[in-house]
Amino acid sequence: MSHAMTTATSAFGLPAALAAKADPALIAADEAHLAAVAASLERSVAELSARLDVARRAPAGPGQQALDRDAEVHRTTARLRTLRRFGLEMCLGRMVPADRSDPVYIGRVGLTDGDGRRLLVDWRSPAAAPFFGATHADPMGLASRRRYRWAGGRVRDYWDEVFTADGLEGHAALDDQSAFLASLGASRSDRMRDVLGTLAADQDAIIRAGSRGTLVVDGGPGTGKTVVALHRTAYLLHSEPRLGRRRGGALVVGPHEPYLAYVADVLPGLGEEGVRTCTLRDLVPEGAAAAPEADLDVARLKSSVAMVGAVEPAVAFGERPPTTGMTVATPWVDVRVRPADWAEAFAAVEAGTPHNEAHDQIREALLDLLVDRHADEDDDVPADDLRRALRQDRELERALHRAWPLLDAAEVVADLWSVPAYLRLCAPWLTPDEVARLQRADPRAWTTADLPLLDAARHRLGDAGAAARTHRHRAAAATERTRMADVVDDLVATDDSEMLLMSMLRGDDLQSALVDAEPPPDPDRDPLAGPFAHVVVDEAQELTDAEWRMLLARCPSRSLTVVGDRAQARRGFPESWAERLARVGLDDVDVATLGINYRTPAEVMAEAEPVIRAAVPDANVPTSVRVTGVPVRRGSAAELDAVVDDWLAAHAEGVGCVVGAAGFAARPRVRSVPPELATGLEFDLVVLVDPDRFGDGVAGAVDRYVAMTRATQQLVVLTSA
């Protein structure tokens, strides 16, 4: 819902308890500025609406003109939606320079008035950096900084920080960080809350790091890793135009669907509406129905880069030129197709061409070779007619399909799990026992461990349908060219003009313009196929080497933001990030560490830290900045319903979660999830039921630690008798 663009009264709606902050000496300048912002917003919305209406009604036009129009509609729509959504809440706060120049107000986007005066500086611009990055150790040229807390289109609180003695003079309502900490402890909802106005300096430094190479954001629970990654995405798309939509844009990969729903509003709220989000399952059509791999040894075998590499020889098995010749009869001449002709046509495939798309290249190369040879031997044979006859010869087409068949990714991978000899050929390093273990009765009973191989096969093969469509389109184009040639001959024959204008119709350029030999773009192309200019991977500590290959196939630039916590890896993470990523081919790696927990109260972390250190002694356990005075509560599993109902009755806002009670009936504002789906989420109340049953070893300890640290207010641990 959009907020009002103008305000008939004050932009400030401070409660009675904050009456001292409503002193005109403190807020009069802000009132005047926010009134100017409101007027400019109203004007901007009217202008953008009119511009959008004109752009939508404009004719699409050809080629680049249509692309430019669509880009303008996209940009205008995105900005208009942002302005309408936030209204005055576009303004995050202000900073007062130490040189006594005018205050600078920071916004979600930049904004000017009708005279070109800058009212809001875009938060992503270099000029806004001190608003987020200034500290007492490095004020970055500021005397003071003020941050607003908005609700319902009005400022409900604000807090000031002073960096110099001059900053104390007349414009600062000093806080002891209580307002800031109170904002961190505000009730949660089923969507990640907006935190742009409360980004800390350590987080902002990571957000503004350049896009070159791979940046790992490593931090324990509650350190804002996900927040940093999403804001960094918005920052990079704004500050580095080369990452924009025409260059592939950005892709955000999360651990599961609840996570994607939780963060769905963040990027649109930052003005970025075109960013794709998905889970690893979404990258492959078979992912939706894939079951977890129950056999840990099978999962281990399939998780390696080597096993993904087995796809290459599996596909190459179907790329063998015929070793015997054949003769194709045509109305003019019998054409001999020799093994050397096949070999030369196969060699004409351009490097990197997917297998199925190369099928058409081979056909065209073979036809070129055969037609050119007979043109040299007998120029009475009409070349176009001979090519058309060869193209339509069924025996030649069948020979091509036998030598270079159109393959299906699922069929290639299924053959590995059902034909032992085929698997041994493609993965010769496997032992006989391992080959046998990988075989299964239903080779298409896909598991999550199969997805990287299916994805690799699909990338290696390309679209079989595209090859068939290209073949049909070119055949139709050849027929149309013949028909057009007959029409042109008739027109030329009857042309009695002095300049014989109709003879111009025989020109190659005009013929090409009349008949397009290339097929149109495929409207059904997978939008997650890539390539993407930048990829963000959250909860990256869980990815196998094979799964990393799925992502790198979509990110040729190797520009990534990798977010994770080694201590939260359910399978363990004994090496460093640099070692792990080097193994999958990422060498340009920087690691930024976050160590302050803004989410989880100190009372909860005191209980959670021993849980993870027992399994991962060197865990990066962050330091909590919040103390709530609410102890961790323990009780019997029989109290579950009462605990939830009592909390709902006492809290009109906020959300809760029950972890580990499969039979619990969810309530409004209280959901139930298994431990493995708690990752990446946060709740005011977390109730753990029988956490000792979450599992043994590292996986069990991680599940308990992750579930405990989802709590922002209260943790309750219930156990069965």
Side-chain angles (χ1 to χ4, degrees), residues 665-717:
R667 314 275 205 276
R669 295 196 290 127
V670 179
R671 71 168 73 177
S672 176
V673 300
E676 61 272 16
L677 291 187
T679 304
L681 307 179
E682 55 183 19
F683 306 92
D684 298 285
L685 168 73
V686 171
V687 183
L688 268 60
V689 180
D690 290 324
D692 288 343
R693 296 182 182 178
F694 288 3
D696 299 324
V698 172
V702 166
D703 283 347
R704 286 186 284 276
Y705 178 63
V706 169
M708 296 172 79
T709 55
R710 301 308 94 192
T712 66
Q713 297 291 340
Q714 184 173 13
L715 173 66
V716 179
V717 180

Side-chain angles (χ1 to χ4, degrees), residues 26-341:
L26 294 174
I27 65 173
D30 287 3
E31 286 274 32
H33 195 87
L34 289 173
V37 170
S40 182
L41 281 169
E42 189 168 0
R43 176 182 55 81
S44 296
V45 167
E47 291 177 351
L48 289 169
S49 299
R51 186 192 308 170
L52 183 60
D53 187 52
V54 170
R56 283 174 170 164
R57 287 187 297 181
Q64 188 62 43
Q65 184 177 335
L67 292 175
D68 291 342
R69 190 203 71 160
D70 290 346
E72 173 64 16
V73 168
H74 175 80
R75 284 193 300 268
T76 305
T77 300
R79 184 172 176 86
L80 187 57
R81 188 179 291 117
T82 300
L83 298 186
R84 283 174 168 164
R85 175 179 179 180
F86 291 101
L88 268 182
E89 293 189 24
M90 297 287 300
C91 187
L92 304 172
R94 73 176 195 198
M95 51 187 183
V96 177
D99 63 6
R100 296 181 178 272
S101 56
D102 291 339
V104 177
Y105 288 79
I106 310 302
R108 293 176 179 276
V109 297
L111 189 70
T112 58
D113 64 13
D115 297 326
R117 178 171 67 104
R118 176 65 64 183
L119 297 176
L120 295 178
V121 172
D122 191 299
W123 72 273
R124 294 165 290 192
S125 70
F131 182 77
F132 303 97
T135 64
H136 290 283
D138 181 11
M140 299 178 69
L142 296 189
S144 67
R145 168 172 59 201
R146 172 172 291 179
R147 303 182 194 236
Y148 301 136
R149 183 171 70 83
W150 293 88
R154 302 183 76 188
V155 177
R156 303 299 179 179
D157 195 2
Y158 64 91
W159 61 95
D160 290 340
E161 298 164 271
V162 171
F163 302 104
T164 69
D166 290 344
L168 292 167
E169 296 179 5
H171 55 248
L174 296 182
D175 288 304
D176 60 358
Q177 295 294 311
S178 59
F180 174 70
L181 295 178
S183 74
L184 297 178
S187 296
R188 266 49 177 184
S189 70
D190 59 357
R191 294 295 178 94
M192 178 175 278
R193 65 197 182 97
D194 178 67
V195 298
L196 181 55
T198 58
L199 290 175
D202 59 340
Q203 297 172 328
D204 184 67
I206 297 171
I207 290 169
R208 294 176 187 270
S211 66
R212 177 184 173 84
T214 299
L215 177 63
V216 177
V217 184
D218 180 87
T223 54
K225 300 185 299 297
T226 298
V227 164
V228 166
L230 296 176
H231 285 70
R232 173 171 160 78
T233 302
Y235 171 79
L236 290 177
L237 290 172
H238 173 82
S239 63
E240 301 191 25
R242 69 181 184 81
L243 302 179
R245 296 174 72 213
R246 293 189 181 181
R247 300 293 181 90
L251 173 69
V252 176
V253 182
H256 44 64
E257 289 298 331
Y259 166 93
L260 297 184
Y262 183 60
V263 304
D265 284 346
V266 176
L267 284 166
L270 297 172
E272 297 295 343
E273 307 222 8
V275 177
R276 298 278 180 185
T277 62
C278 70
T279 68
L280 284 169
R281 286 176 176 268
D282 297 328
L283 298 178
V284 183
E286 295 83 358
E293 179 57 70
D295 189 322
L296 296 182
D297 286 336
V298 169
R300 176 183 55 80
L301 290 171
K302 293 181 180 179
S303 70
S304 69
V305 170
M307 185 59 76
V308 175
V311 167
E312 177 60 35
V315 173
F317 187 75
E319 298 178 343
R320 295 174 295 181
T323 55
T324 59
M326 63 182 296
T327 300
V328 180
T330 75
W332 308 274
V333 66
D334 288 345
V335 177
R336 184 65 182 168
V337 186
R338 302 169 302 194
D341 299 330

Side-chain angles (χ1 to χ4, degrees), residues 561-638:
T561 301
V562 175
V563 183
D565 178 10
R566 293 169 56 246
Q568 295 184 54
R570 299 182 75 247
R571 288 184 290 264
F573 200 128
E575 66 267 74
S576 68
W577 279 108
E579 291 167 336
R580 165 66 64 87
L581 296 177
R583 203 165 65 222
V584 297
L586 292 172
D587 297 319
D588 187 3
V589 175
D590 289 323
V591 179
T593 302
L594 294 171
I596 300 175
N597 188 336
Y598 298 99
R599 176 184 67 218
T600 316
E603 294 86 349
V604 173
M605 284 307 299
E607 297 273 348
E609 181 171 355
V611 170
I612 195 61
R613 290 217 184 274
V616 186
D618 65 341
N620 175 20
V621 178
T623 301
S624 292
V625 297
R626 294 174 52 235
V627 177
T628 63
V630 179
V632 174
R633 175 180 167 184
R634 298 184 180 275
S636 167

Side-chain angles (χ1 to χ4, degrees), residues 218-569:
D218 180 87
T223 54
K225 300 185 299 297
T226 298
V227 164
V228 166
L230 296 176
H231 285 70
R232 173 171 160 78
T233 302
Y235 171 79
L236 290 177
L237 290 172
H238 173 82
S239 63
E240 301 191 25
R242 69 181 184 81
L243 302 179
R245 296 174 72 213
R246 293 189 181 181
R247 300 293 181 90
L251 173 69
V252 176
V253 182
H256 44 64
E257 289 298 331
Y259 166 93
L260 297 184
Y262 183 60
V263 304
D265 284 346
V266 176
L267 284 166
L270 297 172
E272 297 295 343
E273 307 222 8
V275 177
R276 298 278 180 185
T277 62
C278 70
T279 68
L280 284 169
R281 286 176 176 268
D282 297 328
L283 298 178
V284 183
E286 295 83 358
E293 179 57 70
D295 189 322
L296 296 182
D297 286 336
V298 169
R300 176 183 55 80
L301 290 171
K302 293 181 180 179
S303 70
S304 69
V305 170
M307 185 59 76
V308 175
V311 167
E312 177 60 35
V315 173
F317 187 75
E319 298 178 343
R320 295 174 295 181
T323 55
T324 59
M326 63 182 296
T327 300
V328 180
T330 75
W332 308 274
V333 66
D334 288 345
V335 177
R336 184 65 182 168
V337 186
R338 302 169 302 194
D341 299 330
W342 285 110
E344 185 174 341
F346 274 43
V349 174
E350 298 174 10
T353 304
H355 171 92
N356 289 329
E357 296 169 28
H359 187 93
D360 197 60
Q361 288 186 14
I362 293 171
R363 179 193 293 107
E364 296 307 307
L366 183 64
L367 296 184
D368 286 344
L369 189 154
L370 298 176
V371 170
D372 289 348
R373 179 192 302 156
H374 283 278
D376 293 340
E377 295 174 357
D378 185 355
D379 57 11
D380 290 335
V381 178
D384 290 344
D385 292 340
L386 179 60
R387 173 181 286 274
R388 185 163 55 255
L390 292 171
R391 187 190 301 279
Q392 294 172 351
D393 187 82
R394 293 185 177 179
E395 284 302 318
L396 185 60
E397 186 66 20
R398 278 195 284 267
L400 173 57
H401 276 278
R402 286 192 299 270
W404 194 288
L406 294 176
L407 298 175
D408 174 71
E411 183 178 336
V412 168
V413 178
D415 285 348
L416 293 173
W417 313 147
S418 59
V419 183
Y422 186 51
L423 180 57
R424 284 196 298 272
L425 174 70
C426 300
W429 64 87
L430 294 175
T431 68
D433 286 345
E434 290 172 335
V435 169
R437 187 149 202 159
L438 288 169
Q439 304 299 298
R440 62 188 182 210
D442 181 0
R444 291 176 182 257
W446 304 117
T447 71
T448 52
D450 294 318
L451 302 184
L453 284 93
L454 288 164
D455 188 63
R458 198 160 272 111
H459 274 83
R460 177 63 178 84
L461 294 174
D463 184 2
R469 286 192 298 273
T470 298
H471 181 49
R472 289 194 299 269
H473 184 87
R474 287 181 175 171
T479 301
E480 182 64 11
R481 276 195 296 270
T482 299
R483 189 185 72 79
M484 291 290 294
D486 292 340
V487 171
V488 168
D489 287 344
D490 290 342
L491 291 173
V492 171
T494 58
D495 182 13
D496 58 359
S497 65
E498 183 176 343
M499 299 184 66
L500 298 177
L501 296 176
M502 289 301 171
S503 62
M504 296 172 60
L505 295 173
R506 285 187 168 136
D508 289 341
D509 290 343
L510 186 56
Q511 293 274 339
S512 298
L514 294 173
V515 181
D516 186 3
E518 294 303 315
D522 179 15
D524 298 324
R525 183 180 180 276
D526 180 8
L528 295 178
F532 294 94
H534 188 79
V535 173
V536 177
V537 192
D538 207 347
E539 304 298 341
Q541 72 276 355
E542 299 293 355
L543 268 61
T544 66
D545 292 356
E547 289 168 339
W548 272 111
R549 284 303 176 95
M550 297 175 71
L551 301 181
L552 297 186
R554 290 163 172 79
C555 189
S557 68
R558 297 301 190 263
S559 173
L560 299 104
T561 301
V562 175
V563 183
D565 178 10
R566 293 169 56 246
Q568 295 184 54

